[in-house]
Amino acid sequence: MKRLICILLLLETFVFAVQQQVDGGRSENEISPQLSSEDRRQNPTQTDTVRAETLNDSQQNCHLYFPDIHAALRELTATVTEQKANIRALETRLRDAEQAAEQQTLLLEELNKKNDEISNLTQSQVEELRKENRDRQIAFSAALMQSTSGNVGPFTTDITLTYRNVFTNIGNAYNPITGIFTAPLKGAYMFRISVHGTAIQTYPSTVSIIKNGEHVVTAHAHQAVNVVNSSNGVVLLLEVGDVIFVRLLANRRISDSQNNYNTFSGFLLFPLK
Ligand SMILES: *[C@@H]1O[C@H](CO)[C@@H](O)[C@H](O)[C@H]1NC(C)=O
Ligand SMILES: *[C@@H]1O[C@H](CO)[C@@H](O)[C@H](O)[C@H]1NC(C)=O
Ligand SMILES: *[C@@H]1O[C@H](CO)[C@@H](O)[C@H](O)[C@H]1NC(C)=O
């Protein structure tokens, strides 16, 4: 504040000095026609004296702060330069901060996107597992006759048995019309058959599990009197599309009733890659 006053006073001095010069250059008659130039030098007007004194005081005062106007200007210039440097530094810092904030925003967006993706992935994985689990649910069990009783056979050739009385058919891999089970996925499967026959006549009771036309295991019983029973089972490694069914061999006979003695069952133990 004091410095500002000094600068103003210095300016005032400068203006006053210029005015003095201008006044001095003018026709003396115009300003004070009653005074000669000598008188004027010896008796400056009252106002001028006061002003000079004031300025003299001010100059003195200001000389305490600035040895001269150049020094003051130099100091001012230095201050301004310093402030400019400070502003530049602040601007740089502000830009850096803005850039950092921008990067943070981008990072946040990226994270949100990743989060969405993971969430979506989790959801799709859960969906896939559910589907896989549904695919793994394969189990069936059926008996030969639905509501009748009687004999099947003998025939001159092997025939495929159709177990019509379906207890379970989860996954619908067993077809009760054709009697054929078709593997929907690769895995280890368990199959089981049971056979029952009346042995009053000479026909044995013999049925076999067939895989893709090839005989695998047989259940067989034969005796002269009474009824006979037998069973068998097997674990098979099946590829997708492999077929399993049961054949009654030629010249054999089986019997059944609502007791469901003759059954064909199968289920997936576990899938394989
Ligand atoms: C200016 O101040 C100095 C020192 O105080 C003094 O000697 C001198 O007479 C003053 N001049 C005027 C014009 O007042
Ligand atoms: C996530 O799933 C939703 C709905 O299916 C979809 O609109 C969005 O684009 C998915 N996001 C990503 C990142 O995949
Ligand atoms: C076969 O099973 C039936 C019904 O369970 C039974 O009555 C019969 O005694 C069994 N036959 C033999 C030879 O075990």
Side-chain angles (χ1 to χ4, degrees):
M1 192 62 189
K2 219 161 186 183
R3 286 178 185 208
L4 188 67
I5 290 165
C6 282
I7 290 160
L8 286 172
L9 283 168
L10 284 167
L11 273 171
E12 166 90 21
T13 311
F14 177 72
V15 169
F16 176 69
V18 169
Q19 219 167 23
Q20 285 279 302
Q21 292 240 324
V22 170
D23 286 354
R26 272 189 195 161
S27 148
E28 281 168 8
N29 293 339
E30 261 180 62
I31 302 161
S32 38
Q34 71 271 38
L35 288 174
S36 70
S37 56
E38 220 165 293
D39 286 341
R40 197 176 146 82
R41 234 172 283 130
Q42 280 161 7
N43 306 301
T45 60
Q46 188 99 14
T47 329
D48 283 354
T49 313
V50 171
R51 203 165 184 181
E53 272 171 1
T54 312
L55 283 173
N56 193 13
D57 277 356
S58 306
Q59 275 166 349
Q60 285 271 313
N61 233 353
C62 289
H63 276 287
L64 289 175
Y65 298 110
F66 304 113
D68 56 50
I69 193 157
H70 295 297
L73 282 173
R74 266 199 302 278
E75 192 160 324
L76 257 180
T77 307
T79 310
V80 167
T81 306
E82 198 179 315
Q83 294 302 335
K84 268 186 186 164
N86 281 347
I87 287 167
R88 264 199 298 277
L90 280 173
E91 278 174 351
T92 306
R93 279 169 64 180
L94 186 64
R95 255 200 310 280
D96 287 353
E98 278 172 354
Q99 270 172 8
E102 215 167 289
Q103 275 168 1
Q104 296 282 334
T105 309
L106 286 176
L107 205 62
L108 193 65
E109 275 171 15
E110 191 92 346
L111 279 174
N112 280 338
K113 197 162 157 254
K114 280 265 181 293
N115 198 32
D116 272 7
E117 276 172 4
I118 287 166
S119 169
N120 278 9
L121 197 64
T122 311
Q123 272 178 6
S124 68
Q125 274 173 343
V126 164
E127 203 52 48
E128 205 163 297
L129 281 175
R130 267 202 201 120
K131 192 185 168 295
E132 222 168 78
N133 224 26
R134 270 201 302 275
D135 289 348
R136 288 176 187 204
Q137 293 171 349
I138 300 156
F140 78 97
S141 194
L144 203 57
M145 295 177 182
Q146 268 176 311
S147 57
T148 54
S149 62
N151 301 318
V152 179
F155 301 105
T156 53
T157 57
D158 298 355
I159 61 134
T160 300
L161 291 170
T162 51
Y163 295 81
R164 297 284 173 92
N165 189 8
V166 175
F167 302 115
T168 49
N169 194 11
I170 299 160
N172 285 307
Y174 173 69
N175 183 338
I177 308 298
T178 61
I180 295 171
F181 171 88
T182 308
L185 58 101
K186 183 180 177 177
Y189 292 81
M190 170 80 197
F191 295 95
R192 190 179 172 278
I193 48 170
S194 67
V195 69
H196 174 89
T198 56
I200 294 159
Q201 272 129 39
T202 56
Y203 298 107
S205 299
T206 312
V207 298
S208 292
I209 291 177
I210 311 294
K211 174 189 170 187
N212 299 332
E214 299 291 320
H215 162 266
V216 184
V217 293
T218 299
H220 169 82
H222 187 211
Q223 65 181 34
V225 294
N226 289 330
V227 291
V228 293
N229 317 283
S230 185
S231 68
N232 211 339
V234 66
V235 171
L236 292 174
L237 169 58
L238 300 185
E239 300 288 336
V240 176
D242 280 351
V243 293
I244 304 292
F245 51 89
V246 181
R247 266 191 186 150
L248 173 68
L249 302 191
N251 301 311
R252 312 297 163 98
R253 191 178 67 180
I254 54 172
S255 321
D256 216 334
S257 67
Q258 279 153 27
N259 287 332
N260 300 314
Y261 296 121
N262 295 273
T263 58
F264 175 33
S265 302
F267 51 88
L268 173 68
L269 281 170
F270 48 83
L272 291 167
K273 295 279 175 195

